[in-house]
């Protein structure tokens, strides 16, 4: 089976379904959608023309070739036609359950027949930083990240599972209610941002943050 990517689309609230329909026409039809909010101030949103801070976050599965072609099309033929502002990027996946992988590969066969072979899209030098912090701490985490070069992020509400193991390992009481701060940054700034966030908002701080980062293959800015 072909390798699989996770496509992440962060767009204005209400535009998630529009993106899903567009992706379906490109043989990408397996999605998960959740609600998020942007971290930029309303003044900056107005200046940049980014609209509402309320976001739809869509996670889509596709083979790496299909994902690369979709992002290539978003950056060329489809540019300006989505009616959405935001960002789309893809992440390499190292594993997926067999039935889901089979479905993703099956839908990609249609894309191969319709669109042909590889696309000339270069890999980017960007990373996705994920910070899972206690509810209400996202703005403080984002402020620290911006001090070290981050431009903005998206916040998604979540809940921490497996508290007992973490509490036992670190001898502390953890808050279950979480916010996940997703920040796209140039890879050369990743280490300094993560270190600063960990020092100021790590697991033993009031924010009780857990951090990780993932490599981004391709990225397209919409709008």
């Amino acid at each position: 089976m072909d390798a699989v990517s996770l496509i992440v689309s962060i767009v204005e609230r209400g535009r998630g379904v529009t993106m899903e329909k567009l992706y379906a026409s490109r043989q990408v039809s397996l999605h998960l959608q959740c609600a998020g909010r942007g971290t930029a101030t309303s003044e900056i949103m107005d200046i940049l023309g980014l609209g509402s801070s309320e976001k739809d976050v869509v996670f889509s599965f596709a083979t790496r070739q299909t994902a690369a072609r979709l992002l290539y099309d978003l950056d060329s033929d489809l540019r300006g036609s989505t009616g959405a502002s935001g960002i789309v990027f893809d992440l390499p996946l190292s594993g997926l359950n067999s039935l889901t992988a089979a479905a993703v590969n099956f839908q990609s066969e249609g894309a191969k027949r319709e669109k042909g072979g590889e696309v000339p899209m270069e890999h980017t030098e960007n990373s996705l930083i994920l910070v899972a912090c206690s509810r209400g701490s996202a703005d403080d985490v984002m402020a620290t990240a911006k001090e070290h070069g981050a431009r903005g992020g998206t916040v998604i509400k979540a809940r921490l599972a497996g508290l007992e193991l973490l509490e036992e390992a670190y001898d502390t009481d953890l808050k279950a209610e979480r916010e996940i701060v997703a920040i796209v940054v140039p890879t050369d700034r990743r280490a300094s941002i993560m270190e600063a966030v960990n020092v100021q908002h790590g697991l033993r701080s009031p924010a009780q943050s857990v951090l990780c980062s993932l490599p981004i293959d391709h990225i397209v800015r919409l709008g």
Side-chain angles (χ1 to χ4, degrees):
M1 288 188 179
D2 294 338
V4 178
S5 291
L6 177 66
I7 303 169
V8 182
S9 308
I10 303 174
V11 295
E12 293 172 295
R13 181 66 52 82
R15 293 292 184 179
V17 173
T18 301
M19 301 303 291
E20 291 173 16
K21 290 179 179 178
L22 175 64
Y23 294 171
S25 70
R26 296 306 200 267
Q27 282 70 49
V28 178
S29 55
L30 184 58
H31 313 285
L32 297 170
Q33 181 173 324
C34 58
R37 67 173 177 86
T39 60
T41 64
S42 58
E43 292 81 1
I44 292 177
M45 299 291 287
D46 292 340
I47 292 172
L48 297 179
L50 296 179
S52 171
S53 64
E54 299 300 310
K55 302 294 179 184
D56 282 343
V57 183
V58 183
F59 300 97
S60 310
F61 296 91
T63 64
R64 290 190 182 177
Q65 181 177 330
T66 300
R69 179 167 292 281
L70 174 60
L71 268 75
Y72 177 82
D73 289 345
L74 287 172
D75 202 32
S76 54
D77 295 349
L78 296 175
R79 177 162 288 282
S81 66
T82 63
S85 297
I87 189 172
V88 181
F89 55 89
D90 62 333
L91 307 165
L93 295 182
S94 60
L96 194 65
N97 65 303
S98 59
L99 288 179
T100 305
V104 169
N105 275 267
F106 177 78
Q107 69 183 12
S108 75
E109 290 302 315
K112 288 181 182 177
R113 290 192 295 270
E114 182 176 323
K115 289 291 185 177
E118 300 292 334
V119 294
M121 193 168 192
E122 295 183 0
H123 288 249
T124 65
E125 293 297 328
N126 292 283
S127 295
L128 173 67
I129 298 174
L130 296 175
V131 184
C133 59
S134 60
R135 189 73 57 85
S137 300
D139 290 340
D140 292 336
V141 167
M142 196 65 235
T144 298
K146 286 181 178 179
E147 289 175 1
H148 290 79
R151 297 185 62 183
T154 301
V155 181
I156 304 168
K157 290 184 178 180
R159 190 176 187 277
L160 184 63
L163 286 176
E164 295 81 4
L165 289 175
L166 283 173
E167 289 178 334
E168 182 179 347
Y170 290 95
D171 190 26
T172 186
D173 294 328
L174 296 175
K175 302 171 184 175
E177 298 305 311
R178 298 266 126 183
E179 291 174 323
I180 298 176
V181 187
I183 313 168
V184 175
V185 299
T187 298
D188 60 3
R189 297 182 183 177
R190 177 191 60 200
S192 61
I193 292 172
M194 292 185 71
E195 181 179 2
V197 170
N198 187 53
V199 168
Q200 297 190 44
H201 311 287
L203 203 55
R204 293 193 182 281
S205 75
Q208 298 184 333
S209 296
V210 178
L211 297 83
C212 68
S213 68
L214 300 165
I216 291 175
D217 277 345
H218 313 99
I219 189 168
V220 175
R221 299 187 184 279
L222 305 176

